[in-house]
Amino acid sequence: MPPAWFRLLLAAPLGLLGLLPLYRVQPAASAPASTTVPADPIISAATIGRYLRAVSSDDMLGRKPFTEGEKRITAYLAAEFKRLGLQPAPGGSYFQPVPLVEITGTPASTLQIRGGKGPALSLDYKTDFVAFTQREQPEVAVTNSPLVFAGYGVTAPEYGWDDYQGLDVKGKTVVVLVNDPGNAGADTTLFRGKAMTYYGRWTYKYEEAARHGAAAVLIVHDTQPAAYPWSVVLSGAISPKLRAQTANQGADKCALEGWLTLEAAKRLFQAAGQDYEALYKAANAKGFRPRPLGNLTLTGSIRNQLRRQTSQNVLGVLPGSQRPDEYIIYSAHWDHFGVGKAIEGDSIYNGAVDDGTGLAALLSIAEAFQRDKQKPQRTIVFLAVTAEEQGLLGSAYYAQHPPFPLNKTVADLNMDMLWPYGPMKDLTVIGYGQSELEDYARAAAKAQDRYLLPDQTPETGMFYRSDHFSFAHMGVPSLYAAGGSESRAHGKDFIAQKRRQYTTSMYHKPADQFDAGWDLWGIAQDAELYYLVGRRLAAETTFPQWRPGSEFRAAREKSMGK
């Protein structure tokens, strides 16, 4: 049974909920002396630690899809869901098969550019360009494909913007810029100013070029608006790619997708008799119109090795007591990078923070719901997805093949990389300004004596880089938040230093492993907040909405028949 303050919280209207100073803090005997923890917590640090040790242990072999590590983590999660009394998905299984294909591509050593006034231009693989494909074919090629410049490659009716207007790109190669028009806030009057929208993501640019029938699409890399250097693009491009298997084997995708370095793009435009700076300026002004790049054509190819296999999402279901056909999803990804290159003698990439913490929170929240004698009125789905590190593939597959209807799905509450550095004063919301779920988060944070903080680096597009986005993309309101800016005991500089240390020394490395010295009360605090948000959603009859201006609002309205 929840403590008395929580029962009051559930009974309060949303407006009052934000005013209740109910979250008492006191020193914890079992925690470091410098921290504070809640009295009578719904979710404890000990519970988080029990699950976190298990999912990030060496026995899990780094949790990589298609390996023994996948078998171990998915079996563990299914067994825990069953132990907690959660039901399997429709069909009687805790597993949702996710068919994937691994594509190992070897591009031709050069892209050949012909048709300029001077000699043919050759762009060198890795130095000038990278390329890959989503087509499941032994070889893909484009030959003498006319080159066109389409600005940022964006078609956004809600912003009155269409970079493809009046230009037929069928069979052509489209060159586009990274990020949004306005370029990472250089012009804050365009799109959402400094905050990147989905239109700025490279995944969108590939999708939109394919929708217009392009044969190939190349994004011009520029470090500042991309928010990462060319080395990051290169390392991602040369490794094998996992893709979702499709009925048409990727035939609706562009044959070639890739990136150009900024220097290579400038040479390309010069060969077309165009000035890069002038085209860049034009692409960032309202009224931009796409244009051919002179008479230039592109020729290139990729040889592929294909391996098809099936991975697994794992889900457990707590049926609703009154509205079982309405659903709230809690999500976290189970995958990491497996056993790889040894660093300082350790070759197991345990992924304790990324995303063992999310899995620990997921299981702890499920345990809290089952411990509550008052069962939720709406159905709760606990979803651990595969292949997030490969491009959100498991969550995308769920969203495209949902066991439960998306127009009956109230929200997705996603947990990814919670910080093991003690309780926080803040709750930082990634993608702040998108949906009414922020109001629920703000109220629950206030009850914990915390404040809501917008994402501090919105230009990096983090809202589009974790599994909640797969649901948002299909119109389901989604929340992605965690404490991580101001330590309750040690302040802002402390947590900033800890996060820098993690990014530099642990992120995607074997060093991201469980540390018995971690203070897990902050993760317990975040998990409890998520529990409060989901519990309140489960007690309501309304559905939270996207904010006016959100790029996901139209998809939701369409799915709801509006």
Side-chain angles (χ1 to χ4, degrees):
M1 189 72 176
W5 67 264
F6 179 57
R7 296 197 298 274
L8 288 173
L9 183 65
L10 289 180
L14 185 59
L16 177 61
L17 196 156
L19 302 176
L20 297 177
L22 297 171
Y23 196 82
R24 307 184 305 276
V25 294
Q26 65 182 28
S30 59
S34 60
T35 193
T36 54
V37 300
D40 195 18
I42 297 171
I43 294 173
S44 71
T47 302
I48 294 291
R50 171 164 47 88
Y51 288 125
L52 182 54
R53 280 180 182 272
V55 300
S56 62
S57 71
D58 282 355
D59 289 343
M60 293 298 177
L61 298 173
R63 309 191 308 266
K64 186 176 182 179
F66 296 177
T67 69
E68 176 64 24
E70 167 167 3
K71 295 177 183 177
R72 294 185 184 186
I73 185 61
T74 56
Y76 170 82
L77 291 169
E80 286 301 300
F81 285 163
K82 184 175 182 180
R83 181 186 67 83
L84 290 169
L86 302 180
Q87 295 185 9
S93 175
Y94 289 99
F95 302 108
Q96 181 189 34
V98 181
L100 300 175
V101 56
E102 183 182 74
I103 304 176
T104 304
T106 305
S109 60
T110 62
L111 289 178
Q112 294 295 321
I113 312 295
R114 298 185 175 89
K117 295 182 180 180
L121 177 65
S122 291
L123 301 180
D124 295 327
Y125 179 50
K126 299 183 182 179
T127 304
D128 297 321
F129 80 96
V130 293
F132 31 84
T133 186
Q134 296 190 59
R135 294 190 180 181
E136 299 171 35
Q137 300 173 4
E139 185 171 5
V140 296
V142 294
T143 304
N144 296 325
S145 171
L147 280 154
V148 298
F149 177 62
Y152 285 87
V154 168
T155 300
E158 69 271 33
Y159 293 110
W161 200 280
D162 187 358
D163 282 330
Y164 286 93
Q165 185 174 341
L167 184 65
D168 180 6
V169 300
K170 289 184 175 62
K172 299 176 182 178
T173 295
V174 180
V175 179
V176 298
L177 302 174
V178 71
N179 211 298
D180 291 319
N183 210 339
D187 182 350
T188 57
T189 67
L190 297 180
F191 284 56
R192 298 185 61 165
K194 186 179 179 181
M196 182 190 291
T197 73
Y198 181 54
Y199 299 117
R201 289 286 291 155
W202 53 269
T203 48
Y204 166 81
K205 297 176 190 295
Y206 295 152
E207 292 168 1
E208 192 64 22
R211 279 190 285 267
H212 283 82
V217 54
L218 298 171
I219 301 173
V220 178
H221 175 266
D222 188 351
T223 297
Q224 190 272 329
Y228 39 78
W230 178 253
S231 60
V232 173
V233 175
L234 180 61
S235 64
I238 63 178
S239 60
K241 296 285 187 300
L242 282 179
R243 307 291 191 190
Q245 292 185 35
T246 58
N248 64 7
Q249 298 188 332
D252 59 339
K253 306 297 183 183
C254 295
L256 266 65
E257 301 170 343
W259 293 77
L260 295 172
T261 66
L262 181 58
E263 293 72 20
K266 289 179 177 180
R267 287 160 51 205
L268 176 67
F269 292 148
Q270 185 178 27
Q274 302 278 348
D275 176 67
Y276 170 80
E277 296 299 336
L279 286 179
Y280 173 83
K281 183 177 180 180
N284 281 283
K286 292 181 179 179
F288 168 78
R289 293 293 177 265
R291 62 203 69 182
L293 285 173
N295 296 315
L296 294 185
T297 64
L298 177 143
T299 296
S301 62
I302 305 175
R303 288 182 289 105
N304 295 317
Q305 292 181 336
L306 307 174
R307 182 166 71 107
R308 293 181 175 86
Q309 204 161 327
T310 298
S311 189
Q312 306 285 343
N313 290 334
V314 190
L315 61 159
V317 181
L318 180 59
S321 61
Q322 296 185 32
R323 290 179 298 285
D325 61 343
E326 296 177 354
Y327 308 92
I328 297 161
I329 296 174
Y330 284 95
S331 59
H333 71 90
W334 61 252
D335 66 303
H336 202 58
F337 292 101
V339 180
K341 179 181 178 181
I343 300 177
E344 297 183 359
D346 189 355
S347 61
I348 299 178
Y349 290 64
N350 303 83
V353 172
D354 183 18
D355 184 30
T357 57
L359 289 178
L362 183 79
L363 292 165
S364 298
I365 293 168
E367 185 174 315
F369 269 104
Q370 284 292 49
R371 199 167 55 242
D372 185 356
K373 294 180 181 179
Q374 183 181 351
K375 297 307 178 187
Q377 296 175 26
R378 285 168 159 161
T379 294
I380 312 293
V381 179
F382 298 93
L383 175 64
V385 296
T386 183
E388 187 271 354
E389 302 288 4
Q390 303 293 327
L392 317 184
L393 300 182
S395 56
Y397 187 85
Y398 179 101
Q400 293 161 12
H401 305 84
F404 308 104
L406 294 186
N407 64 354
K408 292 288 188 177
T409 299
V410 177
D412 172 59
L413 308 176
N414 184 59
M415 295 159 290
D416 192 355
M417 293 182 65
L418 308 178
W419 298 106
Y421 307 127
M424 304 288 172
K425 290 185 178 181
D426 71 284
L427 179 74
T428 297
V429 176
I430 306 300
Y432 182 83
Q434 285 282 6
S435 84
E436 292 175 353
L437 287 173
E438 294 159 13
D439 298 336
Y440 293 77
R442 180 181 289 105
K446 188 109 178 186
Q448 292 183 332
D449 190 30
R450 301 167 72 183
Y451 61 89
L452 212 64
L453 186 67
D455 181 7
Q456 298 299 285
T457 56
E459 66 275 13
T460 63
M462 283 301 298
F463 186 78
Y464 313 101
R465 294 162 62 179
S466 190
D467 290 301
H468 63 282
F469 172 68
S470 296
F471 295 93
H473 197 199
M474 302 297 285
V476 177
S478 304
L479 179 67
Y480 178 29
S485 290
E486 184 175 5
S487 163
R488 186 172 292 279
H490 306 292
K492 295 179 180 180
D493 290 345
F494 168 82
I495 191 64
Q497 186 272 332
K498 286 288 188 181
R499 290 183 61 164
R500 282 194 300 270
Q501 181 183 26
Y502 174 83
T503 301
T504 302
S505 304
M506 299 171 66
Y507 181 60
H508 289 185
K509 295 181 175 69
D512 185 3
Q513 56 189 337
F514 184 84
D515 184 341
W518 278 342
D519 182 350
L520 302 179
W521 276 108
I523 299 176
Q525 182 185 46
D526 285 343
E528 187 166 306
L529 183 143
Y530 263 66
Y531 172 74
L532 299 180
V533 171
R535 196 69 173 83
R536 183 156 193 89
L537 287 168
E540 294 181 340
T541 59
T542 56
F543 282 60
Q545 302 297 312
W546 293 105
R547 306 284 193 200
S550 171
E551 59 265 45
F552 310 113
R553 188 181 179 97
R556 184 60 158 184
E557 291 177 347
K558 182 179 179 181
S559 73
M560 304 295 279
K562 296 182 179 180

